[in-house]
Amino acid sequence: MSAPSNISFRNPASSLERDSRDLLLMKSLREGTLDWSYDAEYPLVLSTEGNSTSWCAFMGNQLIGHASLWPRTLKHSSEQKSIPIGLVGNVATDENFRGQGHMRSLIAQLENLAYTQSLCALVLWSDLLEFYQNFGFSSIGREWRLTISRSERPYDTGLRRVDPSSLTDTDLSSMMTLRPRLEWGVERSPREFKALLTIPNSLVFVRRRGAKIVSWMIIGKGADLQAVIHEWGALSPDELIADIQTILSGYLTESLTLLAPGQLHHHWLEPLKQRSSQHSEHAMALAAPIGPKGEQAIKALARSFIWGLDSI
Ligand SMILES: CC(C)(COP(=O)(O)OP(=O)(O)OC[C@H]1O[C@@H](n2cnc3c(N)ncnc32)[C@H](O)[C@@H]1OP(=O)(O)O)[C@@H](O)C(=O)NCCC(=O)NCCS
């Protein structure tokens, strides 16, 4: 069914429109109430600064649908190659307007925008595979989910929870360097990293040797990824496991899930698998090619990993 022609697509034009957008997203994408405002979970794409990434469908003055389109750069780790892509999230139609083709139109608008912005693929995270297949999306990439259960003996490696605002730019760049090296990854500046660390309910842990961070991890992200380590970096799998056991010794939770790239080197993956009580492999995301370099972008995405803070 195609959407009526009296629909306009644009960025929110006032704080009032941003408030109604956040209310629509909150009602559509969260259960119950939150201890923070919905936009706080998306400090780069739903903030005033990120206004141009927020796309609303209006029927007259009424906001009826929304999707974020966040242009990012996928960068090769050793060669001077990069591919512009668009991350999509915060997708919702007002419940009174569902089933009328509005999201179909909004996604078609996003595809046109992506094309005019020379983005080569759209990427999103959703369980609604069937819905997105309608628009040319398919599963791409791989990720591991490893369950690490509390060991009988207590650990204390010195890993501690920190206030993210205490981390310096040097800390943030060494954290990025400590992540496993992959062929392709999404670029992130220290300023963006700092903003993403303000997401409520994100527990940030670091371990230092002298002043230098040698291990770190982030658990949780707003209402998502509870008890999931979705970003991390360490010098060896043994140190990473000991640090996870340190958290398990100090907190009530019995187990944590470690998200890891599908292409993780076997020197890392095998010991992690051995020390996990369960592990499984999953698709990383859904993606659709855009324009003439679309297939090339899909191939690069299949060999990339998009970390938790970047996924919207
Ligand atoms: C999912 C959602 C955005 C769909 O919006 P919508 O405006 O109702 O979608 P449309 O009417 O444009 O539907 C487009 C097509 O997808 C199909 N579709 C709609 N919802 C679907 C679903 N949940 N699963 C599979 N297909 C679906 C429709 O039948 C339609 O197909 P057709 O054109 O062949 O008839 C809306 O139901 C919603 O806001 N849900 C709650 C929030 C949510 O789940 N967002 C997605 C998170 S990633």
Side-chain angles (χ1 to χ4, degrees):
M1 195 189 292
S2 62
S5 54
N6 59 340
I7 305 292
S8 59
F9 298 96
R10 57 175 174 81
N11 303 130
S14 64
S15 54
L16 214 60
E17 287 187 353
R18 275 191 291 278
D19 288 349
S20 26
R21 171 201 65 193
D22 295 343
L23 190 65
L24 163 67
L25 295 175
M26 164 91 186
K27 283 207 282 195
S28 305
L29 295 163
R30 294 289 176 269
E31 279 161 21
T33 53
L34 297 176
D35 293 336
W36 51 83
S37 61
Y38 183 89
D39 58 333
E41 290 190 32
Y42 300 92
L44 293 177
V45 293
L46 293 183
S47 60
T48 324
E49 190 194 345
N51 205 53
S52 61
T53 63
S54 174
W55 289 97
C56 303
F58 288 94
M59 184 183 280
N61 289 330
Q62 185 173 4
L63 177 76
I64 59 162
H66 181 270
S68 296
L69 173 62
W70 190 22
R72 302 266 77 195
T73 304
L74 197 62
K75 212 168 174 286
H76 196 276
S77 60
S78 54
E79 298 164 23
Q80 289 291 335
K81 288 195 286 192
S82 60
I83 303 177
I85 57 165
L87 306 188
V88 173
N90 296 307
V91 174
T93 302
D94 182 302
E95 57 186 348
N96 298 315
F97 293 88
R98 289 182 192 161
Q100 298 172 34
H102 294 305
M103 195 46 70
R104 177 180 287 285
S105 308
L106 186 39
I107 291 177
Q109 292 284 333
L110 290 194
E111 285 171 344
N112 287 339
L113 278 165
Y115 188 81
T116 55
Q117 294 177 16
S118 303
L119 306 178
C120 303
L122 292 180
V123 184
L124 55 82
W125 289 263
S126 175
D127 297 331
L128 301 180
L129 175 62
E130 224 181 292
F131 171 67
Y132 286 106
Q133 273 171 342
N134 286 318
F135 315 112
F137 285 80
S138 54
S139 301
I140 49 135
R142 293 177 301 127
E143 71 179 27
W144 287 99
R145 297 180 196 164
L146 301 115
T147 308
I148 313 292
S149 301
R150 187 192 291 154
S151 93
E152 277 168 24
R153 79 171 170 92
Y155 276 75
D156 187 359
T157 57
L159 183 89
R160 293 290 177 265
R161 189 172 164 200
V162 295
D163 174 353
S165 67
S166 68
L167 298 168
T168 63
D169 281 3
T170 313
D171 290 335
L172 297 172
S173 25
S174 43
M175 285 161 77
M176 296 280 280
T177 316
L178 277 166
R179 295 194 310 196
R181 198 173 152 88
L182 303 166
E183 193 181 350
W184 289 93
V186 170
E187 252 184 342
R188 184 197 293 166
S189 69
R191 191 189 65 82
E192 288 168 339
F193 197 0
K194 211 164 210 160
L196 291 167
L197 288 172
T198 65
I199 298 174
N201 232 8
S202 309
L203 311 183
V204 183
F205 296 85
V206 307
R207 177 162 57 81
R208 293 180 190 268
R209 200 163 288 152
K212 198 169 163 40
I213 293 179
V214 289
S215 175
W216 66 282
M217 58 191 81
I218 305 178
I219 302 175
K221 181 190 168 202
D224 290 334
L225 299 170
Q226 296 310 299
V228 175
I229 303 167
H230 57 83
E231 295 228 2
W232 52 271
L235 295 172
S236 72
D238 285 347
E239 290 194 23
L240 177 64
I241 291 289
D243 284 327
I244 297 173
Q245 287 297 347
T246 299
I247 299 178
L248 289 168
S249 302
Y251 287 81
L252 287 175
T253 179
E254 278 297 317
S255 65
L256 287 164
T257 300
L258 178 72
L259 285 193
Q263 314 72 2
L264 195 62
H265 194 281
H266 65 89
H267 287 142
W268 273 86
L269 188 58
E270 291 314 315
L272 291 178
K273 275 185 181 173
Q274 273 167 24
R275 288 174 178 101
S276 65
S277 47
Q278 264 182 50
H279 57 264
S280 51
E281 207 179 2
H282 301 261
M284 177 187 71
L286 303 179
I290 304 286
K293 291 189 183 153
E295 291 309 328
Q296 198 185 325
I298 296 293
K299 280 191 191 141
L301 280 163
R303 296 199 297 272
S304 75
F305 185 66
I306 301 181
W307 293 90
L309 291 179
D310 296 314
S311 56
I312 55 168

